[in-house]
């Protein structure tokens, strides 16, 4: 007699495609998943507990390490929250530097996502092309603030470094180069029949589910919901620039893929406008009191990081350290839909769906 | 099939484009001036204000001072200055708050060691580490001297 | 707000400077030039103090006039009226505007009514998107803060639910907004608040056999260097 059993498989913490130390315990019936339970916490470093003993400038290097692929947006959410609480004004040149840096970071983060997603699916060349282009952006950041990944660039009231001479010209040379590369990447991948067969129709969900699960970023916009924090709740200088927000219709992995690639070209468009309007002089730091002590109260600010809505909830008692600092991390919230999406899928589609959600485990665990 | 061939065309064209690979470690990697590598310490400029130890997010700097041996001058002179390089995250907040620029970053980043003892850098090592010192330190845009707590 | 803080160190600065000045006048009576300089400095200080007193008086006069009503006040009143009408009159403990946070309407509700209020807010008030759930440990009690937003109109609301320290229990919002699931698990794990009605309440960040709730203020870490 042949007897079939369910197999309990551990897509373990050490796995090349889980984008970090992340574990999924999967119950398989043949090759079809019947239940999937994500297990996380392998990268939990207690940032929120540590933050209760550090003052705000000291927490900025810690925020770099949460979503390490997109560190500038992490810096910004903390600094923006403190500035909102204290009512500080940031000089225009500093705000422009912040915006340029955040949009470059968005391009770099989406390139990492693109390269690693295609590597998970099986294509080897796009990974190296993406990292070659990301190297240009990383070198620009290296010249600007002295580090390639953990920048520690923004400060409460402004930014630390001004652009070195020639830096803005290098950024404006990068933009047409990247636009040409995007066309090449389109030719390379987007028409590929094998790729389309693997991506189209996988991991579908509708708008009501997406809103209920609190998804954000490309995961929400692939269902057609027009919610981009740069347009809906504008922060920094985004209201001055013209750009479109790409939307999908079907809510599957292919729509998410197309939206992220389109977001790269929209970011390049914002960069072009920002460089054209860049002020020629100005301070990089506003008027900041010597000791940064926000008044007692609480605040929740949020910005659009490449992964979705990143938020910072600070409860302050008027001291130099926060009383409670909580980060709303997009990868953590976006991952909740994974157990629901995986039921009935095959093992190969697990990797496709997981890659499409675009998580960074440093952010899932904080 | 057509999509596959278009993609293949892109890859084949990339074979003829210039290579971007560098031959590190045979060819040393040039870091820009602002790169945050291991610190360089200048004991003559240090006034033992303790700002660097207070701002360090990971508490890796420990220092002690002694009264100035020269009876004419006031103030303290640095006695020992250690950086625990196991926990230093190279964030350069210490250079930002130092009022005299006694501690600055260099461009050295190749610092692996075979034993953990080598990673505890004392004042002598930090003073001797005076090549590739960063020139652009407390630039345009840093907060006012003695800024953060 | 930053200006008020700047005034405090200046006040203490002038008090200390006053004491030092008394010492210096004792020393300087021998030296007429120094005495003149000190007199000028004392006069300047008096002038600054007088100007500051005048400014403070002006501010006090301004503050005694009632502050302008917040632009979000009508939203808050509408939401509060809706809750009082549909659920219960005593369900709301406190209703205020958080001016620091861009005038965010905030309500504090009692735990017994939280579940029905949540359903009401989602269906009637169109607050379908739960952005963030945070737990805060005030030393006297624990609190859970829910940030809600309406995607259609951009309206926001913050809801706080208080919980006892000894036996912290809050009704779970997971049946209403599915996104609260892991958020509430994280708060349970790190702060120890039990969410009644949660489908799967277990630890998420810490290992499953961990004892204690790390984010609490009175948590003793196993390793004292951490």
């Amino acid at each position: 007699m042949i007897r079939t059993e369910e197999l309990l498989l551990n897509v373990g913490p050490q796995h090349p495609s889980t984008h970090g130390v992340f574990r999924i315990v999967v119950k398989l019936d043949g090759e079809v998943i019947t239940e999937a339970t994500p297990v996380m916490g392998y990268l939990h470093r207690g940032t929120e507990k540590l933050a209760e003993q550090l003052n705000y400038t000291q927490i900025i290097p810690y925020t770099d390490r949460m979503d390490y692929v997109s560190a500038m947006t992490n810096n910004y959410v903390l600094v923006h929250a403190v500035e909102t609480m204290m009512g500080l004004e940031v000089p225009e040149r500093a705000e422009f530097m912040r915006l340029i840096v955040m949009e470059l970071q968005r391009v770099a983060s989406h390139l990492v996502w693109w390269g690693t997603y295609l590597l998970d699916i099986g294509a080897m060349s796009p990974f190296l092309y993406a990292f070659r282009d990301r190297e240009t952006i990383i070198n620009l950041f290296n010249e600007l603030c002295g580090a390639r990944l953990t920048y520690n660039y923004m400060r409460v009231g402004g930014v630390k470094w001004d652009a070195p001479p020639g830096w803005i010209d290098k950024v404006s040379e990068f933009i047409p180069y990247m636009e040409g590369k995007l066309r090449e990447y389109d030719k390379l991948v987007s028409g590929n029949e094998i790729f389309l067969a693997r991506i189209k129709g996988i991991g579908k969900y509708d708008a009501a589910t997406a809103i209920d699960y609190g998804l954000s970023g490309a995961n929400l916009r692939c269902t057609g919901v027009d919610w981009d924090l740069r347009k809906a709740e504008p922060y920094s200088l985004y209201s001055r620039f013209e750009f479109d927000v790409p939307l999908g219709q079907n809510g599957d992995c292919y729509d998410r893929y197309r939206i992220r690639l389109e977001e790269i070209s929209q970011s390049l468009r914002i960069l072009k406008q920002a460089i054209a309007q860049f002020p020629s002089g100005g301070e990089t730091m506003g008027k900041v009191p010597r000791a940064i002590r926000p008044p007692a109260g609480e605040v929740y600010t949020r910005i659009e990081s490449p992964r979705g809505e990143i938020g910072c909830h600070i409860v302050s008692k008027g001291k130099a350290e926060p009383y409670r600092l909580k980060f709303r991390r997009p990868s953590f919230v976006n991952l909740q839909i994974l157990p629901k999406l995986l039921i009935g899928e095959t093992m190969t589609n697990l990797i496709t769906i997981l890659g499409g959600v675009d998580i960074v485990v440093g952010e899932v665990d904080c | 099939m057509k999509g596959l061939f278009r993609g293949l065309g892109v890859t084949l064209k990339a074979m003829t484009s210039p290579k971007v690979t560098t031959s590190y470690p045979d060819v040393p990697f040039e870091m820009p001036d602002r790169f945050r590598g291991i610190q360089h310490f200048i004991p003559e400029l240090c006034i033992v204000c303790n700002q660097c130890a207070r701002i360090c997010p990971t508490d890796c700097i420990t220092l002690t001072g002694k009264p100035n041996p020269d009876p004419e001058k006031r103030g303290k002179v640095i006695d020992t200055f250690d950086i625990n390089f196991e926990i230093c995250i190279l964030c350069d907040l210490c250079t930002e708050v130092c009022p005299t620029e006694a501690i600055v970053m260099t461009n050295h980043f190749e610092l692996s060691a075979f034993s953990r003892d080598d990673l505890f850098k004392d004042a002598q090592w930090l003073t001797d580490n005076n090549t590739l010192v960063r020139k652009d330190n407390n630039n345009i845009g840093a907060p006012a001297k003695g800024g953060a707590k | 707000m930053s200006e008020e803080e700047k005034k405090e160190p200046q006040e203490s600065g002038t008090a200390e400077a006053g004491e030092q000045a008394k010492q210096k006048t004792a020393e300087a009576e021998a030296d007429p030039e120094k005495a003149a300089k000190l007199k000028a400095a004392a006069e300047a200080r008096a002038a600054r103090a007088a100007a500051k007193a005048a400014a403070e008086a002006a501010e006090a006069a301004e503050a005694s006039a009632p502050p302008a009503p917040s632009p979000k006040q009508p939203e808050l009143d509408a939401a509060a009226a809706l809750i009082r009408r549909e659920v219960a009159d005593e369900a709301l403990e406190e209703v205020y505007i958080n001016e620091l946070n861009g005038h965010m309407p905030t309500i504090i509700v009692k735990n017994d009514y939280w579940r029905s209020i949540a359903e009401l807010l989602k269906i009637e008030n169109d607050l379908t998107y739960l952005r963030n759930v945070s737990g805060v440990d005030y030393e006297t009690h624990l609190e859970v803060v829910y940030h809600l937003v309406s995607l259609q109109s951009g309206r926001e609301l913050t809801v706080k639910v208080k919980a006892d320290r000894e036996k912290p229990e809050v009704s779970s919002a997971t049946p209403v907004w599915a996104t609260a699931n892991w958020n509430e698990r994280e708060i349970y794990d790190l702060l120890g608040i039990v969410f009644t009605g949660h489908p799967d309440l277990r630890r998420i960040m810490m290992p499953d056999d961990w004892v204690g709730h790390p984010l609490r203020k009175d948590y003793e870490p196993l390793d004292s260097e951490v």
Side-chain angles (χ1 to χ4, degrees):
Chain A
M1 282 298 293
I2 298 184
R3 192 177 56 131
T4 55
E5 255 182 24
E6 266 187 356
L7 173 68
L8 199 68
L9 184 67
N10 200 10
V11 184
Q14 293 149 321
H15 191 285
S17 295
T18 54
H19 300 279
V21 262
F22 177 65
R23 177 171 160 218
I24 313 180
V25 178
V26 161
K27 275 205 191 128
L28 289 173
D29 176 22
E31 220 191 285
V32 174
I33 301 175
T34 54
E35 197 184 312
T37 322
V39 177
M40 65 201 71
Y42 291 94
L43 200 49
H44 181 65
R45 294 158 286 185
T47 317
E48 298 178 352
K49 181 86 186 177
L50 277 170
E52 292 173 6
Q53 294 153 17
L54 300 167
N55 64 346
Y56 293 95
T57 315
Q58 288 173 313
I59 302 176
I60 297 176
Y62 282 92
T63 58
D64 275 333
R65 285 145 171 91
M66 268 185 355
D67 179 358
Y68 36 79
V69 179
S70 156
M72 290 289 188
T73 42
N74 298 21
N75 276 353
Y76 184 74
V77 72
L78 178 68
V79 165
H80 185 54
V82 180
E83 286 166 1
T84 314
M85 275 186 109
M86 294 175 74
L88 290 176
E89 236 191 78
V90 181
E92 206 187 0
R93 190 178 166 100
E95 202 66 64
F96 263 95
M97 282 307 292
R98 284 179 176 183
L99 191 131
I100 290 178
V101 149
M102 280 204 289
E103 288 305 312
L104 275 176
Q105 182 73 81
R106 196 180 304 269
V107 177
S109 169
H110 282 324
L111 279 172
V112 170
W113 168 79
W114 184 76
T116 50
Y117 191 42
L118 285 166
L119 189 65
D120 290 345
I121 291 182
M124 311 271 184
S125 358
F127 176 68
L128 293 168
Y129 296 164
F131 272 69
R132 174 198 58 195
D133 296 325
R134 178 175 175 257
E135 201 57 26
T136 325
I137 301 182
I138 297 284
N139 282 335
L140 282 173
F141 283 156
N142 201 357
E143 283 173 22
L144 177 68
C145 57
R148 287 162 60 94
L149 196 66
T150 53
Y151 312 112
N152 191 17
Y153 178 56
M154 307 202 183
R155 296 282 183 271
V156 178
V159 294
K160 172 157 186 189
W161 302 97
D162 201 355
W167 194 79
I168 297 284
D169 297 325
K170 284 191 198 160
V171 177
S172 45
E173 276 165 23
F174 172 71
I175 300 176
Y177 165 79
M178 192 66 219
E179 284 174 349
K181 286 293 165 193
L182 272 181
R183 283 192 287 271
E184 229 182 75
Y185 297 158
D186 232 359
K187 259 199 291 187
L188 177 63
V189 176
S190 312
N192 195 318
E193 285 81 9
I194 305 177
F195 173 68
L196 290 176
R198 277 204 73 170
I199 289 244
K200 270 203 169 153
I202 306 288
K204 264 187 139 154
Y205 49 82
D206 61 346
T209 321
I211 296 178
D212 206 27
Y213 274 88
L215 303 184
S216 47
N219 297 318
L220 179 63
R221 293 197 281 277
C222 70
T223 56
V225 178
D226 187 3
W227 182 252
D228 181 338
L229 287 172
R230 296 176 290 171
K231 287 243 157 158
E233 298 179 351
Y235 54 94
S236 188
L237 300 169
Y238 281 103
S239 41
R240 289 196 205 180
F241 302 119
E242 261 186 48
F243 60 100
D244 298 320
V245 173
L247 293 176
Q249 295 144 317
N250 303 326
D252 61 352
C253 283
Y254 181 64
D255 274 353
R256 276 169 255 160
Y257 173 85
R258 280 241 74 89
I259 288 177
R260 288 192 179 111
L261 279 186
E262 186 60 33
E263 276 181 10
I264 300 182
S265 52
Q266 293 301 321
S267 287
L268 293 172
R269 193 169 153 201
I270 299 179
L271 277 171
K272 251 196 291 214
Q273 295 170 48
I275 292 181
Q277 298 180 20
F278 196 71
S280 49
E283 294 281 310
T284 46
M285 274 296 268
K287 296 229 173 321
V288 183
R290 264 169 157 235
I292 299 176
R293 291 210 176 95
E298 62 181 270
V299 83
Y300 174 69
T301 45
R302 53 270 175 206
I303 67 169
E304 179 90 11
S305 92
R307 279 165 188 81
E309 171 184 331
I310 184 166
C312 177
H313 179 213
I314 304 185
V315 176
S316 151
K317 296 248 167 168
K319 299 217 185 89
E321 299 99 31
Y323 186 74
R324 166 85 165 108
L325 174 64
K326 160 145 179 132
F327 287 104
R328 185 253 195 230
R329 294 101 56 200
S331 302
F332 181 66
V333 181
N334 289 352
L335 208 47
Q336 287 187 71
I337 203 169
L338 197 70
K340 182 170 175 324
L341 276 186
L342 285 180
I343 298 179
E345 295 283 353
T346 61
M347 272 303 288
T348 49
N349 286 341
L350 180 141
I351 301 294
T352 316
I353 295 175
L354 182 60
V357 176
D358 193 7
I359 60 167
V360 169
V361 181
E363 208 179 34
V364 172
D365 290 342
C366 173
Chain B
M1 285 316 286
K2 222 177 105 189
L4 270 165
F5 281 118
R6 283 174 82 198
L8 211 55
V10 173
T11 339
L12 287 173
K13 201 172 74 150
M15 272 171 59
T16 56
S17 56
K19 298 253 180 303
V20 291
T21 325
T22 53
S23 340
Y24 181 80
D26 299 324
V27 171
F29 200 81
E30 290 279 328
M31 283 297 185
D33 182 55
R34 287 183 183 172
F35 185 72
R36 311 198 296 249
I38 184 72
Q39 286 91 345
H40 168 53
F41 182 58
I42 306 170
E44 293 85 32
L45 295 175
C46 178
I47 57 172
V48 196
C49 63
N50 240 329
Q51 287 291 343
C52 54
R54 281 165 77 188
I55 195 83
C56 179
T58 50
D59 290 328
C60 67
I61 299 185
T62 38
L63 54 90
T64 54
K66 57 177 192 252
N68 197 326
D70 188 350
E72 305 264 315
K73 306 216 179 97
R74 297 163 58 187
K76 286 194 188 169
V77 157
I78 193 82
D79 194 10
T80 61
F81 185 92
D82 303 314
I83 291 188
N84 184 357
F85 205 59
E86 283 180 310
I87 46 181
C88 173
I89 55 177
L90 298 175
C91 65
D92 100 341
L93 285 174
C94 49
T95 55
E96 196 175 317
V97 292
C98 179
T100 52
E101 283 191 29
I103 182 161
V104 293
M105 314 290 277
T106 60
N107 286 354
H108 288 291
F109 58 93
E110 291 138 327
L111 295 145
S112 324
F114 280 102
S115 125
R116 281 187 191 236
D117 297 332
D118 292 335
L119 288 176
F120 197 80
K121 309 292 186 198
D122 64 348
Q124 191 54 45
W125 193 96
L126 291 168
T127 316
D128 292 337
N129 179 29
N130 57 3
T131 52
L132 290 183
V133 176
R134 200 164 73 157
K135 293 189 202 64
D136 185 0
N137 271 315
N138 248 346
N139 90 125
I140 5 161
K145 294 264 159 72
K149 186 172 97 165
Chain C
M1 285 161 262
S2 51
E3 289 170 332
E4 288 171 359
E5 286 156 28
K6 271 194 199 147
K7 277 186 188 153
E8 282 181 12
Q10 274 182 16
E11 280 178 1
S12 52
T14 40
E16 284 173 7
E19 285 179 18
Q20 284 179 357
K22 284 185 202 148
Q23 288 175 354
K24 282 190 188 156
T25 36
E27 289 174 355
E29 269 173 23
D31 195 351
E33 269 189 20
K34 234 176 158 186
K37 263 195 240 165
L38 283 167
K39 196 164 154 236
E43 277 174 9
R45 255 198 309 276
R48 271 203 307 269
K52 210 172 53 160
E56 273 179 19
E59 260 201 32
E62 268 183 23
S64 57
S70 162
K72 301 266 175 84
Q73 189 68 32
E75 274 178 35
L76 182 61
D77 292 336
L82 178 69
I83 294 177
R84 288 203 177 96
R85 200 174 56 228
E86 299 287 329
V87 181
D89 215 9
E90 74 263 2
L92 289 179
E93 270 185 34
E94 219 182 297
V95 166
Y96 62 94
I97 295 266
N98 184 355
E99 265 147 40
L100 224 51
N101 194 8
H103 294 268
M104 166 93 85
T106 316
I107 61 178
I108 304 187
V109 301
K110 289 217 184 78
N111 184 29
D112 307 322
Y113 300 99
W114 166 224
R115 180 66 198 281
S116 18
I117 293 179
E119 282 171 2
L120 183 71
L121 287 174
K122 179 174 179 189
I123 298 169
E124 301 281 327
N125 222 358
D126 194 38
L127 289 166
T128 47
Y129 196 70
L130 172 65
R131 304 180 117 132
N132 181 32
V133 188
S134 326
V136 190
D137 179 6
Y138 297 102
E139 268 118 39
T140 49
H141 62 276
L142 301 170
E143 200 174 84
V144 182
V145 186
Y146 292 81
H147 292 99
L148 301 162
V149 75
S150 157
L151 296 180
Q152 303 286 6
S153 56
R155 231 170 354 106
E156 295 176 307
L157 186 68
T158 305
V159 184
K160 294 194 189 189
V161 186
K162 290 204 178 131
D164 219 15
R165 206 123 203 267
E166 302 307 314
K167 199 165 168 292
E169 268 183 17
V170 172
S171 326
S172 168
T174 311
V176 184
W177 294 284
T179 182
N181 196 331
W182 282 7
N183 281 319
E184 289 176 348
R185 271 178 72 186
E186 192 190 356
I187 297 176
Y188 164 67
D189 186 6
L190 297 175
L191 274 172
I193 300 179
V194 172
F195 287 91
T196 49
H198 192 280
D200 183 23
L201 197 66
R202 52 195 164 92
R203 287 192 180 262
I204 190 170
M205 295 289 180
M206 308 305 289
D208 287 330
D209 50 2
W210 197 264
V211 172
H213 298 284
L215 214 50
R216 286 201 178 183
K217 297 286 177 184
D218 55 358
Y219 176 69
E220 297 281 331
L222 291 172
D223 186 359
S224 60
E225 271 184 33
V226 168

